[in-house]
Amino acid sequence: MTKFAMIGAGRIAATHARSFQDIDEAELIIVADPFAEAAQRIAAKTGAKASSDALGAIRNPDVEAVLICSPTATHVDLIRAAVDAGKAVLCEKPVDLDLGLASQLEASVPKDARVMMGFNRRFDPSFAQVNARVQKGELGKLEQVVVISRDPAPQSPEYVKTSGGIFKDMTIHDFDMVRFFLPDIVEVEAMGQNVIDPALIELEDFDGVMVTLRSASGAMATIINSRRAVFGYDQRLEVFGERGMLQAHNQLPTSVRSYGADHAEQTETYLHFFLQRYREAYACELKAFVDTLNGGGSFSPSLSDGVAALRLAVAAMQSARSGRRVEVASV
Ligand SMILES: NC(=O)c1ccc[n+]([C@@H]2O[C@H](COP(=O)([O-])OP(=O)(O)OC[C@H]3O[C@@H](n4cnc5c(N)ncnc54)[C@H](O)[C@@H]3O)[C@@H](O)[C@H]2O)c1
């Protein structure tokens, strides 16, 4: 049984805390957050001990693995502290908002450091199956990838202010999804729009973006993001190759369909947001982390994958601001 410390006890931590109930091989023994009530809330539900001392939790000799769920600005220091203490790390995305700091961390941790990044969508059963079938060669040579990702409703301007902006906070998942299929992206072109919340213009951020990416193989990808989709969380994937295409569609809360004089095949709106849509993915992510820890092999997505996705986010922002195509190698 792998014993974990969880650092940070907010929104995403509550979701990960639930995953421990689904996985026999993992036990949460400490949850640390400077906001004592938050730590106690998760501790009460899981049987873990609450603490306000993140470093103490990381260095606790009973702790073998650290799950970092604290704000992005804390990730680099906490990953370093956990690696220095000899612990395996599963860290939420993104590595940092500063590509320089993230790259320095990547360069300075030992090559055999056990670090995995929390790009949960790789573990969604539908997206994972598409990837496994592509790896087996079902589509032949890949030619095009389309990722559509729209949130149900905009985050508040207060959230956006500290989030790092749409590319580093939201599109980062889609950059990683593209790299799941096309790891070697060499060129990025992006445009942004402001059609939902004028407050974002002052924050120099966008509420929708479209990004085109070219890989070294010649295959291309498109990412479509919006901060608002009135019909629910819109999460779709299409992978197209010389021998066919695989698609993963949106998910509904139930299979009920309504038919009447003025409508057919009417359903509820899609699963509301990431906590609902990716609940299973978070559990599969934790299971994959524990399996790698116990079974050997390299952690994937790795810290380098985290830095690579961040590099694409920086390239996309440069492109959206300059109106030019950006070579990833120049970033
Ligand atoms: N993979 C995903 O789908 C996903 C979804 C949401 C958030 N995230 C990421 O998870 C991280 C946390 O986001 P959130 O929405 O849960 O934030 P949140 O604000 O809800 O929770 C963060 C918690 O961390 C605590 N904290 C602050 N500094 C700390 C420190 N030094 N040590 C320990 N705890 C500390 C805060 O008190 C708070 O309780 C962010 O990096 C975010 O990008 C990932």
Side-chain angles (χ1 to χ4, degrees):
M1 179 84 86
T2 305
K3 292 186 166 56
F4 278 77
M6 179 187 271
I7 311 300
R11 215 166 40 141
I12 197 67
T15 295
H16 286 303
R18 261 184 250 128
S19 298
F20 281 94
Q21 284 154 13
D22 299 339
I23 294 161
D24 294 339
E25 303 88 344
E27 183 186 2
L28 183 62
I29 62 165
I30 305 178
V31 51
D33 192 307
F35 179 40
E37 268 176 43
Q40 275 153 12
R41 212 175 303 132
I42 291 188
K45 285 191 184 145
T46 57
K49 200 175 131 229
S51 163
S52 56
D53 176 10
L55 287 180
I58 288 170
R59 291 173 187 150
N60 183 308
D62 293 333
V63 167
E64 298 162 75
V66 179
L67 175 48
I68 300 175
C69 304
S70 46
T72 299
T74 65
H75 292 180
V76 165
D77 287 346
L78 290 170
I79 292 174
R80 204 187 298 282
V83 168
D84 287 350
K87 309 298 166 82
V89 183
L90 171 56
C91 180
E92 264 311 333
K93 49 59 59 176
V95 180
D96 195 82
L97 297 181
D98 184 308
L99 181 60
L101 275 184
S103 304
Q104 271 169 26
L105 174 75
E106 182 191 11
S108 64
V109 298
K111 288 285 161 267
D112 59 354
R114 298 170 300 166
V115 181
M116 179 167 139
M117 289 307 299
F119 286 119
N120 54 290
R121 294 183 195 178
R122 290 192 187 212
F123 302 92
D124 170 73
S126 300
F127 298 160
Q129 185 189 118
V130 171
N131 190 268
R133 289 168 68 164
V134 167
Q135 301 306 331
K136 278 193 194 136
E138 185 173 321
L139 302 186
K141 192 165 175 291
L142 281 199
E143 294 172 357
Q144 296 178 337
V145 174
V146 179
V147 180
I148 296 175
S149 175
R150 298 187 176 104
D151 283 357
Q155 306 268 9
S156 67
E158 287 67 42
Y159 173 90
V160 170
K161 213 176 281 175
T162 56
S163 69
I166 191 165
F167 291 116
K168 289 179 183 171
D169 185 49
M170 181 174 167
T171 327
I172 194 107
H173 280 292
D174 309 303
F175 290 129
D176 182 67
M177 186 49 58
V178 167
R179 290 194 66 260
F180 197 22
F181 293 90
L182 303 171
D184 196 6
I185 296 295
V186 292
E187 212 176 4
V188 176
E189 189 164 19
M191 290 175 77
Q193 61 185 168
N194 292 90
V195 289
I196 301 172
D197 185 353
L200 266 58
I201 299 173
E202 274 174 41
L203 299 175
E204 297 183 12
D205 198 7
F206 303 113
D207 41 34
V209 297
M210 294 195 188
V211 188
T212 305
L213 308 102
R214 189 192 303 277
S215 86
S217 69
M220 287 174 57
T222 291
I223 296 169
I224 299 176
N225 281 167
S226 174
R227 292 188 186 272
R228 181 190 61 205
V230 292
F231 47 84
Y233 195 34
D234 189 15
Q235 299 287 292
R236 287 176 279 156
L237 172 69
E238 181 172 293
V239 185
F240 174 89
E242 63 178 341
R243 288 209 281 274
M245 177 164 80
L246 289 163
Q247 292 182 329
H249 290 269
N250 277 315
Q251 291 182 8
L252 292 157
T254 72
S255 63
V256 175
R257 302 282 184 281
S258 156
Y259 300 76
D262 58 352
H263 66 275
E265 292 197 38
Q266 217 168 65
T267 68
E268 299 148 89
T269 52
Y270 296 122
L271 286 178
H272 177 65
F273 204 9
F274 61 92
L275 299 179
Q276 295 80 22
R277 170 65 180 80
Y278 289 119
R279 172 139 191 219
E280 198 176 352
Y282 294 115
C284 292
E285 172 183 79
L286 184 59
K287 173 93 170 68
F289 176 77
V290 173
D291 286 349
T292 308
L293 189 55
N294 295 331
S298 43
F299 287 89
S300 178
S302 63
L303 180 58
S304 299
D305 289 319
V307 176
L310 184 61
R311 192 177 305 282
L312 296 184
V314 173
M317 188 48 114
Q318 285 181 3
S319 174
R321 287 197 173 140
S322 67
R324 294 210 184 87
R325 215 176 276 172
V326 172
E327 302 266 343
V328 176
S330 74
V331 176

